[in-house]
């Protein structure tokens, strides 16, 4: 377990970084400015992180842990039989819940504003869905590779949400419709060889 002072310092750095994102793109944030705002020395920063990328990667890992915990809870509550379609929907729900409950961070992961943050976020989501699909492969004969299926599902859902936001579709409706679309594709068995 981490020392409380270390935990407090890291929490301060993460919060400070997130608070700076509305003012400037991640790539333009300097360690010097980050440390000044967090009221810590550069020596302290470098005793915890090799660079700002390591700091933001830890923020993402914190988010993965929260999302995984939420997913596992959903699985226990509404999918004791481990139905694959419901499992995918629980992944989508966990990601969306995490995204909107931490929107103060995730709203800055758009590729046009913060390419590194966008790439890191999309990579984590893609890897999560691919890992789930690999486990599914052990029980079903997939027509495509887990990587292809994950890419199709993730980029399709991301596009669906992006276009929905652009059209000002209410978030609750967007989440419901994305889930219906995902369930329709998965229940069609188009991804599984019969």
């Amino acid at each position: 377990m981490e020392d409380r002072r270390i935990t407090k310092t890291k929490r301060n750095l993460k919060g400070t970084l997130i608070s700076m994102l509305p003012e400037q793109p991640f790539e333009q944030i300097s360690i010097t400015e980050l440390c000044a705002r967090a009221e810590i020395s550069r020596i302290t920063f470098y005793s915890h992180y090799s660079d700002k990328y390591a700091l933001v990667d830890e923020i993402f890992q914190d988010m993965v842990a929260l999302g995984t915990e939420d997913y596992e809870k959903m699985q226990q509550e509404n999918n004791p039989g481990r139905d694959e379609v419901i499992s995918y929907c629980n992944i989508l729900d966990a990601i969306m819940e995490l995204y909107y409950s931490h929107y103060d961070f995730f709203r800055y992961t758009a590729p046009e504003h913060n390419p590194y943050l966008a790439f890191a976020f999309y990579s984590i989501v893609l890897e999560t869905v691919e890992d789930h699909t690999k486990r599914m492969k052990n029980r079903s004969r997939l027509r495509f590779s887990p990587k292809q299926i994950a890419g199709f599902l993730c980029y399709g859902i991301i596009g669906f949400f992006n276009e929905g936001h652009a059209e000002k579709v209410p978030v609750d409706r967007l989440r419901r419709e994305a889930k219906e679309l995902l369930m329709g594709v998965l229940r069609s068995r188009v991804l599984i060889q019969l």
Side-chain angles (χ1 to χ4, degrees):
M1 179 153 219
E2 221 173 43
D3 180 284
R4 287 175 46 192
R5 290 173 298 165
I6 292 171
T7 302
K8 185 178 177 183
T9 299
K10 287 183 168 187
R11 187 179 317 120
N12 178 26
L13 282 166
K14 292 170 189 177
T16 301
L17 175 67
I18 291 169
S19 74
M20 294 173 73
L21 291 173
E23 301 164 19
Q24 58 189 313
F26 172 73
E27 283 77 8
Q28 293 177 9
I29 294 173
S30 71
I31 299 299
T32 301
E33 185 178 2
L34 175 65
C35 291
R37 294 251 190 124
E39 298 179 344
I40 64 160
S41 70
R42 288 172 55 92
I43 292 170
T44 300
F45 176 87
Y46 285 113
S47 69
H48 300 294
Y49 302 103
S50 57
D51 55 26
K52 67 182 180 180
Y53 298 96
L55 170 61
V56 82
D57 288 346
E58 190 170 292
I59 292 171
F60 278 117
Q61 290 312 307
D62 292 347
M63 299 292 179
V64 167
L66 290 172
T68 301
E69 183 180 314
D70 199 25
Y71 167 76
E72 292 300 332
K73 183 180 174 188
M74 287 180 205
Q75 285 288 88
Q76 288 176 356
E77 290 174 359
N78 72 8
N79 194 17
R82 299 296 194 217
D83 177 275
E84 292 299 339
V85 174
I86 295 172
S87 291
Y88 274 106
C89 289
N90 285 341
I91 290 171
L92 174 65
D93 284 344
I95 291 168
M96 291 299 102
E97 183 59 36
L98 183 69
Y99 182 87
Y100 289 111
S101 65
H102 292 83
Y103 193 65
D104 60 325
F105 172 68
F106 285 112
R107 69 179 163 187
Y108 300 106
T109 60
E112 62 273 10
H113 300 296
N114 290 299
Y116 179 80
L117 298 182
F119 177 77
F121 177 52
Y122 295 151
S123 294
I124 290 168
V125 171
L126 191 63
E127 182 180 315
T128 299
V129 174
E130 183 182 352
D131 286 347
H132 181 74
T133 306
K134 284 177 184 174
R135 288 191 298 278
M136 182 181 164
K137 184 178 180 181
N138 296 332
R139 295 183 293 276
S140 304
R141 292 182 52 208
L142 303 178
R143 291 184 63 197
F144 311 97
S145 75
K147 189 177 275 314
Q148 287 174 307
I149 291 171
F152 173 76
L153 294 175
C154 290
Y155 291 115
I157 293 291
I158 288 168
F160 185 83
F161 270 91
N162 287 343
E163 295 306 318
H165 283 301
E167 295 172 7
K168 307 227 183 305
V169 175
V171 172
D172 288 341
R173 181 177 143 207
L174 198 54
R175 288 175 74 169
R176 185 182 68 251
E177 290 175 347
K179 193 171 177 177
E180 289 172 12
L181 181 61
L182 179 61
M183 287 180 79
V185 167
L186 295 171
R187 293 249 188 251
S188 74
R189 312 297 274 179
V190 71
L191 303 175
I192 297 173
Q193 293 179 357
L194 299 177

